[in-house]
Amino acid sequence: MASLSRALRVAAARPRQSPTRGLGPCNLSSASGPTAEKSVPYQRTLKEGQGTSVVAQGPSRPLPSTANVVVIGGGSLGCQTLYHLAKLGMSGAVLLERERLTSGTTWHTAGLLWQLRPSDVEVELLAHTRRVVSRELEEETGLHTGWIQNGGLFIASNRQRLDEYKRLMSLGKAYGVESHVLSPAETKTLYPLMNVDDLYGTLYVPHDGTMDPAGTCSTLARAASARGAQVIENCPVTGIRVWTDDFGVRRVAGVETQHGSIQTPCVVNCAGVWASAVGRMAGVKVPLVAMHHAYVVTERIEGIQNMPNVRDHDASVYLRLQGDALSVGGYEANPIFWEEVSDKFAFGLFDLDWEVFTQHIEGAINRVPVLEKTGIKSTVCGPGETHMQVTDHSPWVGALTGGMEWLGGHSLRTQTGGQDRGQPSLALEESFTPDHKPLMGEAPEVRGFFLGCGFNSAGMMLGGGCGQELAHWIIHGRPEKDMHGYDIRRFHHSLTDHPRWIRERSHESYAKNYSVVFPHDEPLAGRNMRRDPLHEELLGQGCVFQERHGWERPGWFHPQGPAPVLEYDYYGAYGSRAHEDYAYRRLLADEYTFDFPPHHDTIKKECLACRGAAAVFDMSYFGKFYLVGLDARKAADWLFSADVSRPPGSTVYTCMLNCRGGTESDLTVSRLAPSHQASPLAPAFEGDGYYLAVGGAMAQHNWSHITTVLQDQKFRCRLIDNSEDLGMVSIQGPASRAILQEVLDADLSNKAFPFSTHKLLRAAGHLVRAIRLSFVGELGWELHIPKASCVPVYRAVMAAGAKHGLVNAGYRAIDSLSTEKGYRHWHADLRPDDSPLEAGLAFTCKLKSPVPFLGREALEQQRAAGLRRRLVCFTVEDKVPMFGLEAIWRNGQVVGHVRRADFGFAIDKTIAYGYIHDPSGGPVSRDFVKSGDYALERMGVTYGAQAHLKSPFDPDNKRVKGTY
């Protein structure tokens, strides 16, 4: 038998080789079968004789000529999506699988389900998966899915890791997830075989567990079929038919297969690592990368039965209970890319690279020392007792291990001619995305083409929740929950067209899969993709940049000089040399804390300069769109919740909603006067025109939302993207008027230039659009500037502001200042499942007018029924940092969690925002908010908090009006 310790020593003795070697697949469907009976996901597939093709036998049932929706791929996401479509009443739903259900990446997944993640949305999605797998499917079908509730244990080897787990525990209380922080001694009592000498503590979640991928997917398929859906195996898709309508919009028309075609208006791409190939059939870009991911299964371990699954993030290893044995796997900094994804690959594995896998063995042996003397039994397995056993009696081991011989009774240390004689463990493949989040929703290139792929090894865990949301998306046009972070439309086309960016970011997302999730972490991969005209100017002044959707935007200004972002070094992997004396990485490492970072005082100076004098903010990464044309006013009335059809020269803060009344965006809309001559600051147009300025992080989402509405409503107007052609700087603070009066050729008095208006002016001789607005609660103006004029205008502003105390400031200051003033941030305070009524933005809704707008009906119903939750501001007297996810207590009960938090330097308090509900289920009135006794729980410790229904800073809005 092969032991883990011997495997480790063999790996150390072997010569170093390229990480891309040995990538040929070992296709189990064509291997000769074992002589003894083995329990595997699909006996017939794995025991086919050599040369026999399952696909050649034809589809498992005749293809229908039409379908309302066709799901491509029979893995976790495909089966969950089909099941939820059928459950929601969708008729004519068909799933096509090229081989057998789970034959891609699902059949060999570890099947772990952890209920707590550092995302409230993911906690909700995981909870639904758990309900479906542990209870609902069995109640519906009478079949056991293979769910095992053995609990989960997260290991903390340092204080920061334990702090992260305490944050998860606090969040879990808002969702009813039981969890306990254990001491090393308590951990030892729970898990006697564990080494706890180097532990700070652990997080124990007793209701975590393990799923059986084969059992779950077959039960989902049966349940979906019972509701009228069809599952067709052995039917590879060869093409997607697309047609172009009268408005030039490309739409799905049908699916082509080797055995016929199906006419359908909707396709769902759940093809896993093959999703990119399916996307190309329709002209859709799917930004994911396939990589090898491996685990081994041990021989029997005495005393391991009923132990919880273990995640030792700091060692980057997981230990999954497998009956009376353990599966051992992890995530490394040097994963092997699968360069060419074969369309013939089914129930397949790769040769495991022990050089890559060694670090996981070391971590596993350190955590559970008995593993050093434990043999390796299996290759890659399904959960529970469904496994593919490799023993000295198996004549097909050679085929599985690239021809290497298995020596029964010997370990991996046995060598001949310097080479190890056996490798009884293989690697599997998974797909990873640039931001470590799944790809879901309707593709921007083709209407009716949906994605459900790129799950970064979490397809089984997230499958139930995401399958349900995808089904809602298809049927109702929107998911029920906030799925913006998963929406494929979050990526700008310049990124999805860029293979290097996709590869670098996907690598980093894999390598950092087990890293602590710090609130202000930034990627090092795929940087400097989109830089605004002021980038070099600000870099020279010490700007520390953040990355948002490819854009480099100012984060804060380092007084010790430049800290440029360098080319990605792959953390020293693949023969790359890691950067030495890397200033940006060093500053980023200072952010790796849940306390106030070392540069907390630097951000404080930026904030207080804005409150006391003035600050200039480079906001060039904002999205800048024009909506113009004959139907532009009709489109604006329908799209925007506020009345934006005011006279030219007006600017309005508004929301855009979905049909459920949820907030798709908040933005400013400026009415334009018609012009027959184009300029760098406005296109030529007839009819009506509007200039839209939206936060850069949500610009692509805004563009896609508006485009979809224009197509659905058939409005005759154009949406023009000028984001790359215009820069934007904002000057905010009591001295802003005096500074800009020296730069702009216009009277900036309240009477001549009121709040919420805009004008075309000259700044230091350059034409700009000046808009009097504030996003930080101060007197101020935005200057929207043609790209070529940005640097001279910025320099003129800085020169005029020198005597007034003008400073550069970044988005870290914006976050603090806007939190202090109570201004909402989309995707934090405002999300597609939050209404403006709940968020305190009723003033942005034209409900008193008769003008219809998207989402109005839902808002009217919500207002009539009473708000079931409400966004509330809290201040904490204690000087403690908060970042979001803290539990909100009211009168001894958890009533919500914090969405966003920051420190307010002007009021010298921590400020937090979160939605609260009434545990009794009643409406949340203003009196309910005011009558409670509140506390916020941070890492298991509660701090008294005061609730506010108005901003704690300048509640009467005097400062934005210039009254100081």
Side-chain angles (χ1 to χ4, degrees), residues 292-431:
H292 295 193
H293 174 61
Y295 63 80
V296 300
V297 182
T298 72
E299 292 283 0
R300 183 178 185 276
I301 302 172
E302 183 64 36
I304 204 71
Q305 295 85 350
N306 302 317
M307 289 297 101
N309 299 318
V310 173
R311 243 185 177 178
D312 190 340
H313 292 92
D314 296 312
S316 195
V317 67
Y318 61 81
L319 307 172
R320 170 194 177 276
L321 185 68
Q322 182 119 350
D324 57 3
L326 288 177
S327 299
V328 179
Y331 296 86
E332 56 281 342
N334 57 335
I336 299 173
F337 293 89
W338 190 9
E339 301 292 354
E340 296 182 8
V341 180
S342 169
D343 60 359
K344 305 299 182 184
F345 193 88
F347 294 112
L349 299 169
F350 295 91
D351 295 342
L352 185 145
D353 191 320
W354 283 103
E355 294 173 9
V356 174
F357 198 75
T358 295
Q359 57 194 284
H360 307 316
I361 298 176
E362 293 173 340
I365 291 174
N366 175 65
R367 189 56 53 221
V368 182
V370 69
L371 290 175
E372 186 173 10
K373 305 296 184 182
T374 302
I376 301 172
K377 174 179 64 175
S378 307
T379 62
V380 177
C381 317
E385 294 305 312
T386 303
H387 60 268
M388 181 171 53
Q389 201 171 46
V390 179
T391 73
D392 54 324
H393 302 297
S394 300
W396 50 295
V397 172
L400 291 174
T401 58
M404 292 188 176
E405 180 183 355
W406 174 265
L407 298 180
H410 290 268
S411 76
L412 290 180
R413 278 168 50 185
T414 305
Q415 298 180 40
T416 301
Q419 298 296 318
D420 49 309
R421 298 287 304 277
Q423 291 189 355
S425 305
L426 303 177
L428 51 107
E429 78 293 334
E430 296 280 4
S431 57

Side-chain angles (χ1 to χ4, degrees), residues 628-640:
V628 297
L630 297 177
D631 284 348
R633 177 165 183 169
K634 290 181 182 178
D637 285 343
W638 180 248
L639 275 166
F640 306 121

Side-chain angles (χ1 to χ4, degrees), residues 629-888:
L630 297 177
D631 284 348
R633 177 165 183 169
K634 290 181 182 178
D637 285 343
W638 180 248
L639 275 166
F640 306 121
S641 62
D643 179 11
V644 300
S645 295
R646 299 179 183 181
S650 63
T651 297
V652 178
Y653 171 70
T654 183
C655 295
M656 287 193 293
L657 310 181
N658 53 47
C659 58
R660 299 175 182 272
T663 310
E664 293 291 336
S665 170
D666 69 327
L667 68 162
T668 59
V669 179
S670 300
R671 185 77 183 274
L672 304 177
S675 174
H676 295 288
Q677 186 169 356
S679 78
L681 288 163
F685 66 91
E686 295 182 359
D688 294 286
Y690 304 86
Y691 175 57
L692 283 53
V694 301
M698 59 182 180
Q700 188 63 30
H701 176 83
N702 275 254
W703 174 270
S704 298
H705 174 74
I706 295 170
T707 300
T708 298
V709 172
L710 296 181
Q711 292 173 358
D712 290 345
Q713 299 297 318
K714 297 181 172 54
F715 289 126
R716 295 169 299 167
C717 52
R718 292 180 295 150
L719 184 65
I720 303 168
D721 187 355
N722 265 36
S723 302
E724 306 277 356
D725 300 321
L726 295 175
M728 175 182 165
V729 295
S730 183
I731 301 88
Q732 301 285 322
S736 60
R737 178 181 278 134
I739 294 169
L740 290 176
Q741 196 64 77
E742 297 183 29
V743 179
L744 300 174
D745 63 344
D747 182 359
L748 301 183
S749 66
N750 285 338
K751 184 175 181 181
F753 206 142
F755 184 74
S756 253
T757 62
H758 66 95
K759 295 181 179 182
L760 289 179
L761 303 174
R762 294 220 169 251
H766 299 264
L767 189 66
V768 302
R769 185 180 303 280
I771 307 178
R772 186 175 167 188
L773 286 174
S774 180
F775 47 89
V776 296
E778 298 293 338
L779 173 69
W781 281 262
E782 296 175 357
L783 303 182
H784 298 245
I785 313 166
K787 189 175 183 178
S789 300
C790 285
V791 171
V793 169
Y794 167 80
R795 288 176 176 173
V797 169
M798 294 301 291
K803 60 180 175 288
H804 296 281
L806 179 67
V807 304
N808 285 303
Y811 271 83
R812 293 289 290 276
I814 290 175
D815 290 342
S816 171
L817 294 163
S818 61
T819 301
E820 194 169 51
K821 184 63 186 78
Y823 290 155
R824 308 302 189 234
H825 278 200
W826 192 81
H827 202 45
D829 313 307
L830 282 173
R831 302 198 302 208
D833 54 348
D834 303 321
S835 83
L837 303 186
E838 297 169 328
L841 296 179
F843 69 90
T844 67
C845 302
K846 49 181 180 269
L847 291 172
K848 294 181 180 178
S849 80
V851 179
F853 60 91
L854 180 59
R856 176 174 185 145
E857 189 174 315
L859 293 187
E860 290 174 336
Q861 293 174 357
Q862 187 180 69
R863 184 174 60 176
L867 301 179
R868 289 304 189 268
R869 57 185 187 137
R870 190 184 292 266
L871 185 65
V872 177
C873 172
F874 299 94
T875 54
V876 179
E877 295 292 335
D878 297 87
K879 300 297 189 296
V880 291
M882 294 187 181
F883 307 101
L885 305 185
E886 294 82 8
I888 302 172

Side-chain angles (χ1 to χ4, degrees), residues 441-502:
E442 192 173 30
E445 300 96 335
V446 180
R447 299 298 304 274
F449 189 98
F450 287 80
L451 286 91
C453 53
F455 276 80
N456 306 281
S457 290
M460 283 299 297
M461 276 196 295
L462 293 172
C466 288
Q468 176 178 247
E469 295 305 312
L470 197 49
H472 277 284
W473 220 324
I474 294 164
I475 295 172
H476 302 298
R478 285 301 310 163
E480 282 195 317
K481 303 186 190 307
D482 167 36
M483 302 298 287
H484 165 260
Y486 292 2
D487 193 338
I488 182 62
R489 301 178 301 175
R490 66 190 183 270
F491 295 117
H492 191 262
H493 64 80
S494 66
L495 302 179
T496 57
D497 283 338
H498 205 291
R500 179 180 65 81
W501 180 82
I502 297 171

Side-chain angles (χ1 to χ4, degrees), residues 24 52 114 116 156 162 166 357 369 406 414 434 458 496 536 566 568 579 590 600 606 633 700 705 782 797 831 942:
T52 303
W114 318 95
L116 293 178
L162 190 60
K166 290 177 181 178
F357 198 75
W406 174 265
T414 305
T496 57
E536 293 300 321
L566 304 180
Y568 187 49
H579 296 303
D590 289 340
H600 182 68
E606 294 179 14
R633 177 165 183 169
Q700 188 63 30
H705 174 74
E782 296 175 357
V797 169
R831 302 198 302 208
T942 56

Side-chain angles (χ1 to χ4, degrees), residues 88-402:
L88 289 175
M90 168 68 80
S91 61
V94 176
L95 185 149
L96 300 179
E97 164 54 45
R98 65 188 180 90
E99 278 270 352
R100 305 288 297 275
L101 293 183
T102 78
S103 65
T105 62
T106 298
W107 77 275
H108 52 51
T109 183
L112 299 166
L113 192 149
W114 318 95
Q115 294 178 87
L116 293 178
R117 306 262 281 201
S119 160
D120 56 347
V121 174
E122 290 192 359
V123 170
E124 295 176 9
L125 296 173
L126 291 166
H128 183 71
T129 299
R130 189 182 180 284
R131 282 194 300 272
V132 169
V133 174
S134 68
R135 187 180 72 244
E136 293 179 2
L137 275 177
E138 187 167 359
E139 291 175 352
E140 186 173 337
T141 65
L143 300 173
H144 183 49
T145 63
W147 166 256
I148 300 171
Q149 182 178 298
N150 59 311
L153 194 61
F154 285 3
I155 307 300
S157 302
N158 57 67
R159 185 178 66 84
Q160 292 174 333
R161 183 70 75 178
L162 190 60
D163 285 347
E164 180 183 40
Y165 294 161
K166 290 177 181 178
R167 279 169 52 78
L168 296 182
M169 178 184 67
S170 293
L171 175 62
K173 291 178 182 178
Y175 288 99
V177 178
E178 180 186 353
S179 65
H180 309 275
V181 172
L182 305 182
S183 68
E186 291 170 326
T187 303
K188 186 72 173 179
T189 300
L190 175 69
Y191 203 120
L193 295 179
M194 182 172 291
N195 167 33
V196 300
D197 293 344
D198 58 346
L199 296 191
Y200 273 64
T202 58
L203 179 68
Y204 175 51
V205 186
H207 295 111
D208 285 353
T210 313
M211 297 172 286
D212 175 355
T216 298
C217 289
S218 61
T219 307
L220 286 165
R222 183 170 297 190
S225 299
R227 294 177 181 270
Q230 297 185 60
V231 176
I232 304 176
E233 297 176 289
N234 308 330
C235 188
V237 171
T238 57
I240 308 293
R241 289 207 310 267
V242 176
W243 67 290
T244 303
D245 68 16
D246 295 339
F247 289 83
V249 179
R250 299 177 70 237
R251 299 180 181 273
V252 168
V255 175
E256 303 284 350
T257 79
Q258 292 181 0
H259 308 287
S261 61
I262 302 175
Q263 183 178 331
T264 182
C266 181
V267 164
V268 190
N269 181 358
C270 297
V273 294
W274 295 271
S276 293
V278 174
R280 286 192 292 270
M281 295 177 186
V284 171
K285 300 179 184 67
V286 183
L288 56 76
V289 170
M291 299 184 194
H292 295 193
H293 174 61
Y295 63 80
V296 300
V297 182
T298 72
E299 292 283 0
R300 183 178 185 276
I301 302 172
E302 183 64 36
I304 204 71
Q305 295 85 350
N306 302 317
M307 289 297 101
N309 299 318
V310 173
R311 243 185 177 178
D312 190 340
H313 292 92
D314 296 312
S316 195
V317 67
Y318 61 81
L319 307 172
R320 170 194 177 276
L321 185 68
Q322 182 119 350
D324 57 3
L326 288 177
S327 299
V328 179
Y331 296 86
E332 56 281 342
N334 57 335
I336 299 173
F337 293 89
W338 190 9
E339 301 292 354
E340 296 182 8
V341 180
S342 169
D343 60 359
K344 305 299 182 184
F345 193 88
F347 294 112
L349 299 169
F350 295 91
D351 295 342
L352 185 145
D353 191 320
W354 283 103
E355 294 173 9
V356 174
F357 198 75
T358 295
Q359 57 194 284
H360 307 316
I361 298 176
E362 293 173 340
I365 291 174
N366 175 65
R367 189 56 53 221
V368 182
V370 69
L371 290 175
E372 186 173 10
K373 305 296 184 182
T374 302
I376 301 172
K377 174 179 64 175
S378 307
T379 62
V380 177
C381 317
E385 294 305 312
T386 303
H387 60 268
M388 181 171 53
Q389 201 171 46
V390 179
T391 73
D392 54 324
H393 302 297
S394 300
W396 50 295
V397 172
L400 291 174
T401 58

